[in-house]
């Protein structure tokens, strides 16, 4: 981060078993407790409500904007009660949430803002990097994120006192075991070697199968308030930490590549049935994936799978990947956030990493041209 060595030092030091663990620790450091409420957006991944529930607090869902992927500031304001203790703001896919009104709401209600930067390090609001706008931020390094280190996450805050409180909690956390280190190192190597857009569907299916049999560390743990994952008292695995220390500078390279690829997607994919993302004024988006809203999502995904072209379908649910019958477990009532539910029916996303080449972009542009 050109402007701030402090940022890099903290992100490398305040590391945890996962991004969601970093969030839980930030909440604890802010003295959020059992029974308190934390506002988050629907159209998120299970990791976020899981972290809130892990400390005994309650996730309160605010809907996203009618046409976007991020929280609607008006919905934030109306979700605030006298139990609210924090607001989590997700910059979905790297697109910035509407930070000016959100910051104003948080200031008026004296509530801390926690930025979910799992999809981007280098997106900007009025020239400032995400993660430095709110009170604190968290990051994730698992598969599919801009910086991949296996599994793990970080916390960041510009507030020295809060950073100390986070470090204190971390100092009581356990190190990974040798066996966990070995499993993660192996998983990281296998994925790094195998991953390319043409193998996306095969890798996805294989990974799901392996994690079902506990042979790989999966992304999703079953949600239960009485059964908190041991990850919530663990630091980042040593193998992942080594990769983070070595690869951190890569975020700039990633950003350059991401800008290049998204520029060619936005130029090459033309169809009345596709809506491209629209970054807000005063913002710059460095995408984790390039999100498109499409008319017939299922048919398009089938075609992509047949053509062996990477196209992700998440989020498939307002609390990805929970099925409707499980939403209540995460304190979400079906129908509560109609925009989020609508977005799940429309969203597909394309990769922006360094394995994407011109051939892939050609093929994907053709798929859209012929499908829609
Ligand atoms: C990946 C992700 C997280 C947390 O990821 P972990 O699996 O806990 O590292 C949180 N929020 C969003 C939006 C994410 O995509």
């Amino acid at each position: 981060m050109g402007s701030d060595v402090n940022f890099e030092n903290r992100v490398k030091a305040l590391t945890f078993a996962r991004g969601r663990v970093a969030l839980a620790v930030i909440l604890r450091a802010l003295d959020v407790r059992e029974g308190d409420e934390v506002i988050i957006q629907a159209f998120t991944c299970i990791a976020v409500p899981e972290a809130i529930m892990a400390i005994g607090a309650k996730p309160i869902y605010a809907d996203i904007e009618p046409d976007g992927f991020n929280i609607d500031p008006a919905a934030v304001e109306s979700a605030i009660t006298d139990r609210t203790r924090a607001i989590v703001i997700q910059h979905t896919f790297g697109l910035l949430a509407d930070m000016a009104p959100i910051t104003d709401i948080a200031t008026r209600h004296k509530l801390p803002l926690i930025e979910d930067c799992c999809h981007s390090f280098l997106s900007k609001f009025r020239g400032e990097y995400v993660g430095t706008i709110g009170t604190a931020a968290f990051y994730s390094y698992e598969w599919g994120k801009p910086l991949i280190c296996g599994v793990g996450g970080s916390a960041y805050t510009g507030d020295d006192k809060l950073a100390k409180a986070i470090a204190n909690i971390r100092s009581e956390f356990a190190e990974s075991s040798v066996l966990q280190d070995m499993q993660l190192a192996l998983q990281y190597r296998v994925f790094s070697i195998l991953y390319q857009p043409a193998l996306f569907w095969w890798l996805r299916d294989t990974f799901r199968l392996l994690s079902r049999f506990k042979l790989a560390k999966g992304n999703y743990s079953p949600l239960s308030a009485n059964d908190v994952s041991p990850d919530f008292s663990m630091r980042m695995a040593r193998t992942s930490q080594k990769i983070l220390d070595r690869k951190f500078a890569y975020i700039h390279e990633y950003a350059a590549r991401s800008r290049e690829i998204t520029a060619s997607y936005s130029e090459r994919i033309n169809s009345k049935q596709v809506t491209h993302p629209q970054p807000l004024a005063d913002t710059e988006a460095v995408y984790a994936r390039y999100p498109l809203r499409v008319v017939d999502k299922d048919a398009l995904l089938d075609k992509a799978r047949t053509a062996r072209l990477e196209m992700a379908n998440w989020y498939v649910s307002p609390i990805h990947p929970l099925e409707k019958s499980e939403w209540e477990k995460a304190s979400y009532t079906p129908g509560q956030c109609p925009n989020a539910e609508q977005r799940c029916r429309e969203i597909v996303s394309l990769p922006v990493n360094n394995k994407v080449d011109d051939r892939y972009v050609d093929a994907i542009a053709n798929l859209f041209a012929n499908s829609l």
Side-chain angles (χ1 to χ4, degrees):
M1 217 77 155
S3 64
D4 201 353
V5 185
N6 205 15
F7 177 88
E8 179 168 344
N9 288 343
R10 282 193 181 158
V11 163
K12 284 180 178 172
L14 302 177
T15 51
F16 296 94
R18 285 175 177 273
R20 70 195 74 178
V21 179
L23 171 58
V25 172
I26 292 169
L27 291 170
R28 281 177 58 190
L30 288 166
D31 205 24
V32 177
R33 298 178 187 192
E34 201 165 334
D36 290 342
E37 295 178 354
V38 178
I39 296 172
I40 63 177
Q41 72 166 63
F43 197 71
T44 187
C45 99
I46 182 75
V48 179
E50 188 188 345
I52 295 165
M53 291 166 68
I55 63 156
K58 188 174 181 211
I60 302 292
Y61 296 90
D63 205 355
I64 55 175
E65 294 165 312
D67 298 313
F69 304 101
N70 289 323
I71 207 161
D72 182 345
V76 173
E77 180 114 54
S78 48
I80 294 175
T81 71
D82 54 11
R83 303 248 56 174
T84 309
R85 292 292 174 272
I87 304 169
V88 177
I89 298 298
Q90 174 179 304
H91 301 297
T92 317
F93 301 112
L95 278 159
L96 265 103
D98 197 355
M99 292 311 281
I102 291 167
T103 308
D104 176 58
I105 292 165
T107 310
R108 272 192 285 113
H109 293 269
K110 300 194 172 59
L111 289 168
L113 270 188
I114 303 167
E115 294 181 81
D116 179 341
C117 300
C118 292
H119 294 175
S120 190
F121 276 94
L122 298 179
S123 293
K124 282 182 184 172
F125 171 64
R126 293 181 183 157
E128 302 283 337
Y129 288 117
V130 285
T132 64
I133 305 159
T135 314
F138 64 102
Y139 298 82
S140 168
Y141 307 110
E142 69 180 16
W143 202 254
K145 309 290 156 112
L147 179 57
I148 298 161
C149 302
V151 179
S154 291
Y156 171 75
T157 174
D159 177 330
D160 292 345
K161 228 174 99 190
L162 187 59
K164 206 164 206 177
I166 293 170
N168 278 342
I169 297 172
R170 185 181 182 277
S171 69
E172 287 162 18
F173 278 20
E175 297 265 14
S176 50
S177 70
V178 173
L179 197 68
Q180 284 166 329
D181 277 352
M182 279 168 55
Q183 186 192 16
L184 286 177
L186 183 69
Q187 193 169 317
Y188 174 79
R189 294 209 129 207
V190 170
F191 268 98
S192 314
I193 293 165
L194 287 182
Y195 169 73
Q196 48 171 294
L199 291 181
F200 169 78
W201 294 96
W202 177 82
L203 272 169
R204 196 191 71 149
D205 295 344
T206 307
F207 180 66
R208 284 191 183 166
L209 195 70
L210 288 174
S211 41
R212 178 130 43 95
F213 292 104
K214 303 256 189 280
L215 293 168
K217 187 154 176 87
N219 299 340
Y220 308 112
S221 34
L223 201 61
S224 147
N226 315 317
D227 183 17
V228 173
S229 158
D231 287 348
F232 283 97
S233 49
M234 291 196 64
R235 299 183 196 171
M236 192 174 185
R238 279 160 298 202
T239 45
S240 308
Q241 180 79 49
K242 271 189 207 143
I243 299 167
L244 175 65
D245 293 344
R246 180 160 49 81
K247 274 179 65 174
F248 191 83
Y250 172 78
I251 59 175
H252 294 280
E253 208 179 294
Y254 176 90
R257 189 78 190 123
S258 172
R259 284 190 192 99
E260 219 176 280
I261 298 165
T262 50
S264 63
Y265 286 146
S266 82
E267 192 186 301
R268 304 276 310 277
I269 299 172
N270 296 303
S271 162
K272 285 212 174 68
Q273 305 200 47
V274 172
T275 311
H276 286 267
Q278 297 290 337
L280 294 167
D282 290 336
T283 73
E284 191 202 339
V286 173
Y287 294 92
R289 300 186 64 81
Y290 191 68
L292 293 166
R293 293 166 59 193
V294 300
V295 175
D296 194 347
K297 168 170 168 167
D298 292 338
L300 190 67
L301 285 165
D302 276 347
K303 287 190 173 136
R305 184 190 259 274
T306 308
R308 298 213 303 158
L309 291 172
E310 172 168 351
M311 184 183 287
N313 64 355
W314 43 268
Y315 298 135
V316 300
S317 140
I319 305 133
H320 183 88
L322 292 189
E323 289 181 20
K324 198 168 185 174
S325 60
E326 300 175 299
W327 292 353
E328 301 274 6
K329 275 206 273 183
S331 300
Y332 180 87
T333 309
Q336 192 184 339
C337 297
N339 296 335
E341 293 181 26
Q342 176 59 24
R343 219 48 20 88
C344 296
R345 293 188 279 269
E346 305 168 329
I347 180 76
V348 298
S349 65
L350 305 175
V352 298
N353 56 60
N354 60 9
K355 299 275 177 81
V356 174
D357 55 16
D358 288 342
R359 267 190 28 224
Y360 173 84
V361 179
D362 278 346
I364 212 84
N366 285 334
L367 184 91
F368 276 101
N370 298 331
S371 301
L372 301 169

